Every structure is written in C-alpha cells, then in structure tokens.
C-alpha cells in the first residue's frame, strides 16, 4: 500500500513538473489548430436562425439594413453590418463588416487582429488581409474589418451577373 502511494505521488510530481515546463501539454492538439473566424460572434456560414439566436443571447441592438437580408448592429461602439444570402432558404451569412469607433494605431490593431485570429497579416495596397477559419478572408483598412466567405461572394457575384 505504501509503495502505491509513493508511486502515485511520483506520478503527480512528474506531471506537475511537465506542465510547469510545457504548459501546452494539457491542451488537446485539436485546440492548437482552432482559429477564430468571427467578428462579435458573427461568422460567414451562420444561418438566419443561428444569427437570431446570437443576437438574442448577447442582447445586441440590431435593425434591418438597406438590403432585404442585411442587419446593422451597434456593438461596443462599432457599427457592424451582417449580409446574408437572400437566395438560400437558410439565409447564411456571407459577409460581416465592422467599422471601429476608435481603432488606435494601425500597427497595434494589425498585431492585435493577428493574435486574435491566430493568423499572419499580409500587407497590400488597400490595407492588411488574413486567411482565417475555413478559408475566410479578413481585411482591415485602418478603419473597418471585413470578414468574407470568398466562395459565397464569388457565387453571389456570378448569380448577379446572370440576372
């Protein structure tokens, strides 16, 4: 019995030492690859029902926007616009835009966004872009963030061109 207690104590000490040296030891490997892919909880691909539930849970103040499937929300001082696909019966979100009230320095904002989304920024003519989530494109021009499902956007443009 005493031997079992000593062995159990040694195992506990070994695990504690391992966690002290390498804290990520206790994190599941699947969490290491998870990337943020939303703005204020809104993410491309969310259905109308999921969007309505999010708005209710978080008590967001939203109103219909200029388009039939556009919502405009005021969240923590940011003006957020959520565009959904009108042709699909589930009305999935394809774009989320947020105009920030006081974004601060662009360098600090880019670094913060890169850390939040666990992605590397790419500098372009019009600002910065990141590839996040399931291939969504996030862009920042110094004032506004745009999160777009590029495949859905391309399909919607193709459908508009046919009309």
């Amino acid at each position: 019995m005493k031997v079992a207690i000593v062995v159990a104590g040694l195992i506990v000490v070994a695990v504690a030492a391992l966690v002290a040296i390498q804290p990520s030891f206790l994190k599941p490997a699947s969490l290491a690859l998870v990337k943020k892919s939303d703005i204020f909880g809104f993410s491309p691909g969310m259905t109308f029902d999921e969007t309505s539930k999010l708005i209710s849970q978080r008590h967001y103040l939203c109103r219909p926007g200029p388009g039939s499937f556009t919502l405009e929300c005021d969240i923590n001082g940011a003006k957020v616009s959520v565009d959904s696909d009108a042709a699909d019966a589930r009305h999935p979100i394809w774009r989320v835009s947020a105009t920030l009230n006081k974004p601060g320095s662009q360098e600090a904002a880019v670094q913060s966004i890169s850390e939040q989304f666990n992605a590397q920024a790419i500098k372009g003519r019009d600002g910065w872009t990141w590839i996040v989530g399931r291939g969504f494109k996030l862009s920042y021009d110094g004032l506004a963030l745009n999160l777009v499902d590029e495949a859905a956007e391309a399909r919607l443009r193709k459908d508009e061109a046919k009309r």
Side-chain angles (χ1 to χ4, degrees):
M1 181 72 164
K2 290 180 183 179
V3 173
I5 293 172
V6 170
V7 170
L10 288 174
I11 291 172
V12 168
V13 169
V15 170
L18 183 60
V19 170
I21 294 169
Q22 186 69 28
S24 65
F25 174 73
L26 292 179
K27 282 186 186 174
S30 61
L31 288 180
L33 300 175
V34 172
K35 290 185 176 184
K36 177 178 171 149
S37 60
D38 66 86
I39 297 177
F40 294 112
F42 296 109
S43 180
M46 287 177 65
T47 64
F48 177 78
D49 292 337
E50 292 169 332
T51 303
S52 297
K53 186 176 180 180
L54 175 73
I55 291 168
S56 295
Q57 287 176 341
R58 297 197 181 176
H59 306 290
Y60 289 156
L61 299 174
C62 298
R63 62 194 166 284
S68 58
F69 288 96
T70 299
L71 287 174
E72 292 181 344
C73 306
D74 294 315
I75 304 171
N76 299 335
K79 303 287 184 198
V80 180
S81 176
V82 179
D83 295 311
S84 299
D85 185 353
D88 189 325
R90 297 177 309 124
H91 306 295
I93 294 173
W94 65 274
R95 178 178 55 205
V96 181
S97 301
T99 302
L100 308 176
N101 191 13
K102 297 178 184 176
S105 78
Q106 288 188 3
E107 293 78 23
V110 168
Q111 182 177 356
S112 175
I113 293 166
S114 294
E115 290 171 2
Q116 287 180 46
F117 285 85
N118 192 25
Q120 187 64 37
I122 301 165
K123 177 109 170 90
R125 279 192 334 250
D126 301 326
W128 291 267
T129 58
W130 297 260
I131 302 301
V132 298
R134 301 174 309 194
F136 302 147
K137 182 176 125 183
L138 177 71
S139 60
Y140 176 65
D141 63 5
L143 187 60
L145 278 172
N146 290 296
L147 180 61
V148 178
D149 180 343
E150 289 186 295
E153 182 181 40
R155 184 178 45 75
L156 289 169
R157 284 185 185 162
K158 184 178 174 184
D159 291 347
E160 285 291 321
K162 288 180 182 178
R163 293 180 193 167

